[in-house]
Amino acid sequence: MEIDLLLRVAIAFLKDMNLEEFKKLVYETQFLLADINSFESEKLPKDSVKEHNKSHQPLDIKEPEFHIVSPRYEAEILLGYILNMTRVELHTHAKKEVTDFDKQRYFKMLAMRKNGMPLEYLTNRATFYDLELYINDKVLIPRHETELLVEHALEIIKAHNITHFVEVGVGSGAISAAILTHTEETCVVATDISKEALNVARYNMQQLGLESRCEFVESDLLLSPYLIMRKPITLLVSNPPYIANNYPLNQEVLCEPHIALFGGENGDEILKKLIVQAREKQIQFLICEMGYDQKESMQEALLNSGYKPTFYKDYAGFDRGFIAKLMF
Ligand SMILES: C[S@@+](CC[C@H](N)C(=O)[O-])C[C@H]1O[C@@H](n2cnc3c(N)ncnc32)[C@H](O)[C@@H]1O
């Protein structure tokens, strides 16, 4: 089976074509029907989505539809991943034969993608800032809007000659890795409540040659005894979970660890706790991401704890985060 034919079928499948139509297409393009039967039996993440939405969502709110925006791009990325070829190479080797083994792996991945599994989890790769990171389903897929938080952190670090900072909820390590690669002498204490996330962050820091500038601490926010004993912290950065528990999400987002997404009934509970704990530790600067509708509650929480906030918006113009300075 040749690359170009396989791609044609894959693109058609990733478009909104139902299984019956797809089988017909496969039949017409002379594929063995047995090859795609795995599509039906494949264990898919949809169930966990239904579970979440059933338990959290009011009956009249429907989860947003998931559909693949760029079927050609994604079909090529997945085939390139399996064959270890770039997208350009797929086209320059369009007549190359794909083995049955690789074809089966490809079909399996396409089926998982069609059912909502994020591309980044299938390829174990994500890009953030100017970095390529290893990603698995134990960590949030870093979002481009979080690059704004990195920009603000770099400004504060440079303006105040900060050499050490703490990140709460390091996940894949995206934020800390971007800050470390764009500053020369900074070091980070990277924390997360999830051991598995810390393992991913550690692996990424090793791959990027940044490990000697990082400490990894398993901690619920700032409560670890290690952090309590630690010398003063000047800067804290965090993109904590801030989505309200009952907020309807599509199946793609719900594949991400729920501990990385949901911040409580209102969504802002974890951020509020973090602000109080940061004040107790006299942390001078806080730079945090937040929900688009949390500006008011964050303003109140920050002022009550003695912080003066400045808010920033994301690329779509929504309130997305704050930089706060301790006033007294
Ligand atoms: C939204 S993700 C952010 C991951 C990464 N920093 C990024 O921006 O891509 C939030 C992270 O916070 C962690 N987390 C959730 N609750 C926490 C808590 N109470 N204390 C520390 N980390 C927590 C999650 O495990 C997850 O890795």
Side-chain angles (χ1 to χ4, degrees):
M1 220 148 294
E2 294 162 358
I3 284 179
D4 56 354
L5 192 55
L6 195 53
L7 275 176
R8 261 187 58 209
V9 175
I11 292 163
F13 177 65
L14 292 182
K15 283 186 183 153
D16 282 331
M17 185 179 269
N18 68 35
L19 192 62
E20 281 317 305
E21 285 173 315
F22 178 60
K23 279 181 176 175
K24 217 170 121 214
L25 178 90
V26 172
Y27 186 72
E28 282 165 5
T29 49
Q30 318 256 299
F31 277 79
L32 286 175
L33 218 53
D35 283 342
I36 61 154
N37 281 340
S38 58
F39 283 8
E40 286 162 301
S41 55
E42 193 58 39
K43 179 111 183 64
L44 300 166
K46 256 185 180 163
D47 293 346
S48 70
V49 177
K50 290 209 185 94
E51 282 306 304
H52 169 83
N53 286 334
K54 229 192 299 164
S55 55
H56 288 97
Q57 222 163 278
L59 285 173
D60 55 340
I61 300 183
K62 280 192 83 182
E63 71 265 23
E65 281 287 314
F66 157 75
H67 71 104
I68 293 166
V69 180
S70 313
R72 172 177 294 280
Y73 171 80
E74 298 209 4
E76 291 178 358
I77 290 286
L78 289 175
L79 190 57
Y81 172 77
I82 284 186
L83 301 180
N84 202 13
M85 291 167 81
T86 64
R87 288 174 63 209
V88 172
E89 284 167 346
L90 291 178
H91 292 288
T92 52
H93 296 76
K95 295 296 166 201
K96 180 182 151 82
E97 285 286 315
V98 178
T99 64
D100 281 354
F101 177 71
D102 282 342
K103 197 180 62 184
Q104 289 293 347
R105 284 174 64 209
Y106 188 44
F107 282 151
K108 227 176 194 173
M109 278 195 165
L110 289 171
M112 294 178 85
R113 179 65 192 123
K114 175 93 173 179
N115 281 278
M117 180 67 82
L119 195 64
E120 291 84 348
Y121 288 161
L122 291 168
T123 59
N124 295 122
R125 276 179 218 153
T127 53
F128 181 79
Y129 222 71
D130 48 2
L131 305 172
E132 186 160 296
L133 299 166
Y134 168 82
I135 294 292
N136 66 23
D137 63 2
K138 305 299 177 211
V139 294
L140 187 97
I141 298 162
R143 307 294 203 265
H144 288 298
E145 68 233 22
T146 305
E147 294 171 350
L148 292 167
L149 188 156
V150 172
E151 293 287 346
H152 290 296
L154 290 174
E155 268 172 38
I156 297 279
I157 286 171
K158 285 172 187 163
H160 298 272
N161 295 319
I162 293 170
T163 54
H164 288 74
F165 66 98
V166 169
E167 180 178 357
V168 168
V170 69
S172 63
I175 295 174
S176 287
I179 294 175
L180 293 185
T181 50
H182 288 271
T183 49
E184 267 166 31
E185 286 177 6
T186 48
C187 294
V188 64
V189 179
T191 78
D192 206 291
I193 202 165
S194 154
K195 255 198 189 88
E196 290 148 320
L198 285 170
N199 286 338
V200 173
R202 188 178 290 111
Y203 178 78
N204 277 320
M205 294 299 188
Q206 280 165 354
Q207 292 301 304
L208 295 166
L210 299 169
E211 207 199 358
S212 61
R213 294 162 65 192
C214 307
E215 289 173 81
F216 298 94
V217 180
E218 189 183 340
S219 178
D220 179 358
L221 303 181
L222 297 170
L223 295 179
S224 151
Y226 178 81
L227 290 169
I228 288 168
M229 281 160 32
R230 222 187 133 77
K231 57 182 188 266
I233 300 167
T234 315
L235 168 66
L236 180 150
V237 298
S238 185
N239 172 22
Y242 55 71
I243 299 175
N245 289 347
N246 70 354
Y247 192 83
L249 296 171
N250 73 32
Q251 63 211 65
E252 188 173 25
V253 180
L254 285 171
C255 286
E256 298 183 79
H258 292 192
I259 197 168
L261 297 173
F262 299 110
E265 209 164 302
N266 298 319
D268 61 2
E269 289 87 339
I270 291 184
L271 269 162
K272 282 180 172 165
K273 270 197 222 165
L274 188 58
I275 291 167
V276 170
Q277 292 179 18
R279 169 64 217 240
E280 281 163 8
K281 292 184 75 55
Q282 297 282 314
I283 299 178
Q284 296 298 304
F285 294 98
L286 314 181
I287 308 178
C288 297
E289 197 167 299
M290 65 179 196
Y292 68 94
D293 55 354
Q294 292 168 354
K295 183 173 174 182
E296 231 173 82
S297 75
M298 286 302 105
Q299 173 122 11
E300 193 186 329
L302 286 160
L303 290 174
N304 284 344
S305 287
Y307 285 99
K308 183 174 183 294
T310 312
F311 291 89
Y312 66 86
K313 292 184 190 293
D314 62 20
Y315 302 116
F318 291 111
D319 291 317
R320 187 54 63 202
F322 59 80
I323 301 122
K325 164 120 183 57
L326 191 62
M327 291 181 292
F328 46 85

